[in-house]
Amino acid sequence: MDPRIWTAAGFALDADGDAVLPVATTLGRALAAADGDALDDVLDGYLTALTTTGTGDD
């Protein structure tokens, strides 16, 4: 993947320009610490916006 995409997503790059990705346990701890209701609200809003934007069904 283009290094610009990795940096835009917030990942650091190593000396070779490859993304330094977190290990699975880090991702698991981050998801476990997340507020499930808030995450659900954000994802619902995002998916709703994707499916309703530009459809003319306003």
Side-chain angles (χ1 to χ4, degrees):
M1 191 178 309
D2 188 316
R4 293 175 294 181
I5 295 172
W6 289 117
T7 55
F11 292 100
L13 300 179
D14 63 14
D16 295 325
D18 296 322
V20 179
L21 301 175
V23 295
T25 54
T26 301
L27 295 174
R29 283 193 301 265
L31 289 173
D35 179 342
D37 291 332
L39 180 59
D40 186 45
D41 291 343
V42 168
L43 291 175
D44 181 54
Y46 173 73
L47 293 173
T48 299
L50 283 179
T51 59
T52 58
T53 302
T55 62
D57 294 338
D58 296 337

